[in-house]
Amino acid sequence: MSEAPRPGLQRRFRAFHAVQRLSTAGSRRFTAAGRLLALLFLGAAIFGADPRETQAYRLAAFLAGCFVVAAVGVRRTRPRVLVRRELPALVTAHEAAGYYLCVTNTGAATAHALLLHDELASAPTAPLAAARSATDGGADNWFDRRVGFLRWLAALRRARGAALEPVVVPTLRPGATLRLFVPITPLRRGRLEFAAVVVAQSEPLGLLRGLVRLPLAEALVAVPRRHPVPALPGVADPRLHGAQRLVRSTGSGEEFFGLRDYRPGDPERHLHWRSFAKRGSPVVKQFADRFRDRITVVVDCHQPVADETTFEALLAVAGSIATRPRAADCELEVLVAGESTSALRAGAGLGLLATLACLESVRHDTHQAIAARLTRDAVGACFVVTSTWDASRAPTYGRLAARVPGLRVLLVGAPVTAAPATWLVAIDPAQVAAGLTHLAGAPDARAA
Amino acid sequence: MREDTRFVLPRAVVSASAAAWGLVGGQLFAGLVLAALLQLPALLRWRLELEPAHYYRAADLTSVGFAAFAIYEFNGRGLLGIYGILAGIPLSVAPLVLLAGYSEQQAIPASALALSIRRRVLAGTAPEIWLDPGPAFVALCLLAASGGKLPAPWFDLLAAAILCALLVAARPRGTSFPPWGTALVCAGALGLSTAAGLVRLHAGLEDALQSWFTAHWYVPDFDRATTSIGRLGRLKLSDAVRLRVRTTRPLTAPLLIAEASYQTFRLGTWSTEARRYEAVDAEPGGGAWRLAPAAPGPAETLEIDLPQTREVGMLPLPLGTRRLVSDQIIEIRRNAIGAVQAEAAPGQVRFRVETGAAVGGPPPQAADLVVPEEYAAALRTVGAEIGLQGLAPQSALAVIRRFFAERFRYSLVQRGFFPGRLPLSAFLLQDRHGHCEYFASATVLLLRHAGIPARYAVGYGVDEYSRLEAAYVARARHAHAWALAWVDGRWMPIDTTPALWYALESDAAGATQWVSDLWSWAEFRLARLRLAIEALDARILLGLAAALVLVLAWRLRGQIRARRDAAPPALAANLPDAALRPLFAALAARGLTPQPGETVGAFLGRLLPARSTAGELRRLVALYYRNRFRAGGLPEKEHAELVALAADYVRAAPGTTLRTVR
């Protein structure tokens, strides 16, 4: 359960917010020349406080005149444009991607010196969450250790999802449309909420910019990274399908291939009446067992202590397995053990990845619920991806492994405290790709 | 870097800025060398291949050098060292700017400027950002040049030229010249008018703050006068009206009105040891004081209005004041050298003085001949230059007057630093220009060097007539200093400040002076009106008050009568049902009426019987309302019941138990 920061911290972070807004407004409103001359004005005002000592007051007066005229010019500068985004279906966290901004000049005059700022919104609780993380360690200089503003800023940026640079718009004639590429590197997985596009245009002196905010709410999902998985252990192994009930709801699991004499115990619905009539003795249809590949991926969201890095790696492992190319008749089921255990039938991989992208870790233990669900439903190759391992889990999963031959527990990040088992695979969060590459070889679990 | 978010200055502009700084800031050689070095890369084909580490070393060296320079300046000049630092900023940052100019990147990395950025860049957690130092260097040169000696119009031209260059480089793509040029011209005009206004504002604020400070915090020391001798820059005083002087005849020459005189000069401050003030006896009847014996000869009468912020203040008096008359002054005190203090209620104090030929104060003391040791050499040099030794007092006076008149000029501006902190020596021997305090102080010292007792006097030079005030006014900028010399048995004012000073001060009047004069006149009139009202006889005031009361009473008379005649509305008559009229009439007769908005049930329940008869009361109220609101009224039987119940309540006194009727 989240806790509110102390009142003193709340005041500090309100100040952070104010400084950040001021800084953003300043960087958008002032051009590079405007910023330089504003600093010069400040210096001139300080040194010109006593007109008897220097002429700096005259310099300050000239600069003040420039900014007043610029402010008047800004009032008369209102860019008239329409903006539209062309977003990709998905982007991957921490990987460079891009999208397009289509800007159309709806005014009567050619638009020069336009700048587009695409704004990402953060959740209302994000600043508070950012505030909490700002009190954690990790500062790299004494100022940040003491004040925490830079850490808060970095956390806020992560909460928003990406840091977008402004986009320069070339000269845009009336009625013309330009398609501009915007690079984006998501700083986290999850939904990136776009709020608006701010269009800036310089006034004639080039010191200030007029701003127009165009609300344009859209969302982009940043999915966890995926890595190649050359082979999955237990998939397409007929030994796993011999006497087990297979596909349940996707059609018959038996194929008719012949007739034979009736034997006591055969179901009467298998009687072949035509042949019975011909022969005078009961004849039953003979069926052969069919089977399909089935992969079950269980994502265990339990983390006693939130660890975003490990959880990202866990989701990367789960996503990599879930999106590995498979046969057309290979069925995939993803179980998410979070607040509750829910199942995702994987039709489109994008929907699955989007769901994985938005998962959050939970604090309550989930392995019993996972075991119960797998005991009831697990068939085929089953991969439990977890980052938690303790003395209570080993016997539970051990029993499960005895019942579900295709079970593999992929332990991401946590040291193993039990004896190594063939069904237990350890993956280093920093080397997920290497861990997945060797998955088919199922290296022994690391001991603590 | 993005195309839109940076602006590039031509190399020539950067070099020209350095040269301009050198020219204006008195560092011509350094400025020209720097300009040449900055321009040289344009002629060279090679560039230095520099690593970030080279920039880091250059930046660290620059920082250390700047810190050492700052310490040197503050140590040598105290807080004024900030202006020295300002003047030297371009040289301080020159190493980095030169390095960027000769490098391949033509820029400096941001990590060279901040350790925190450097740490992150080296750790690979932040990208390197390259900055063009040209525009920032030009801005610093301009700022440094503002601390130079260039007079205002030339500095304006220089600033306009450099700012123009910056704005040309910053002009957005696609902006045509007409709107840009128009904006620039408007900005320049606005800037010029703002600059002029800032000077006035500064002087006005200073004056206002000083007045506020003097009125609320500062306890003035009447025994010393701190001069502006040695203070650099332009001496600026405000246009605020300080004195109003009414004469019987128009003035033919500026009238010198002295507040005090002093004897000892040290470190820019004149002081006196005559700190003891003795009360001057008023003439019989009060309100008049004789300050000097009556003497034959014409007498002049002046009326002076003086704003007094404290109960005790110095009284500015013309030389030769014999008698003082005022009904506002409570007491007059005088010290051994003739300075006069007055005790009066704070506010506008008016007094009348009679002047004429007089000694002008007590005879000189030993302190009136003392020459400070540090100025002895300079005085000897000047004395030898003008042949002062051995002259008779009158001749010496004439020589000294001629010396200042012919070889000195009036100026409100002081520039440059005075070696050994002896500004008067520099004034006498080198600069030979200054304001009245210089002239007065130097005259006093020269007179003493010639053996003539002399004092330093401060006050006002009155020459401006105001038609609005119908009086001569002395403003803050008319504050003046002069010398007093004891010659032929009396004190004579010796004013060696060029007569031009008054005209120069008048020329310095602001365009908005008429506004402040109007305000000052209104304030003065209001103050006089308040005094007049306070001075009125109490009987007259009482009479006026009584008359007002009578008029008010006559006006209100009709309304009061109307109120009393109107009887309160008869409650019983308003009741729609006659059955309860007797009940309410009986209650009203006892002075019991329902409160505004009170229902019949609440009223009766409040007044009438005890709890045991609450049932009858409820029955009565129910019957009343049914009779009132039922079409056709109550049936006969219930109406009779209502009437009977009401009659029973009429008989019962309030608070008593009702007899059972049925």
Side-chain angles (χ1 to χ4, degrees), chain B residues 511-585:
Chain B
T512 56
Q513 183 179 283
W514 66 273
V515 177
S516 61
D517 284 353
L518 197 60
W519 180 258
S520 178
W521 173 83
E523 270 188 324
F524 173 70
R525 286 291 159 207
L526 193 61
R528 297 303 307 173
L529 179 64
R530 199 164 52 240
L531 283 171
I533 292 171
E534 287 170 4
L536 278 179
D537 192 341
R539 285 174 294 182
I540 297 174
L541 285 174
L542 276 175
L544 280 173
L548 275 173
V549 167
L550 284 173
V551 168
L552 197 61
W554 180 262
R555 291 293 301 271
L556 292 175
R557 177 181 52 86
Q559 294 177 27
I560 293 171
R561 181 181 299 161
R563 290 254 165 82
R564 192 179 296 136
D565 287 345
L571 186 61
N574 291 337
L575 284 177
D577 189 18
L580 290 189
R581 278 192 203 139
L583 172 59
F584 277 84

Side-chain angles (χ1 to χ4, degrees), chain B residues 624-635:
Chain B
Y624 163 73
Y625 278 112
R626 279 183 62 203
N627 189 46
R628 184 174 172 185
F629 294 107
R630 185 171 179 275
L634 282 174

Side-chain angles (χ1 to χ4, degrees), chain B residues 87-158:
Chain B
I89 280 180
L91 269 182
S92 306
V93 301
L96 271 178
V97 180
L98 287 171
L99 204 61
Y102 286 90
S103 69
E104 280 185 335
Q105 294 91 345
Q106 294 291 297
I108 53 176
S111 56
L113 303 175
L115 283 175
S116 58
I117 301 176
R118 195 184 300 185
R119 216 176 284 123
R120 276 195 224 113
V121 167
L122 290 175
T125 55
E128 185 67 85
I129 299 173
W130 292 87
L131 305 171
D132 180 6
F137 182 72
V138 167
L140 285 174
C141 284
L142 183 54
L143 187 62
S146 69
K149 298 179 186 178
L150 206 59
W154 295 107
F155 177 77
D156 292 347
L157 279 175
L158 173 70

Side-chain angles (χ1 to χ4, degrees), chain A residues 32 52 55 58 112 165 204, chain B residues 2 146 150 156 206 233-234:
Chain A
R52 285 183 284 249
Q55 303 275 32
R58 302 191 77 82
H112 299 284
E165 295 289 328
Chain B
R2 295 179 301 278
S146 69
L150 206 59
D156 292 347
E206 250 190 357
R234 185 174 180 78

Side-chain angles (χ1 to χ4, degrees), chain A residues 257-270:
Chain A
F257 73 94
L259 298 170
R260 61 171 172 78
D261 289 333
Y262 172 82
R263 289 199 288 266
D266 289 335
E268 287 176 2
R269 59 186 170 86
H270 286 167

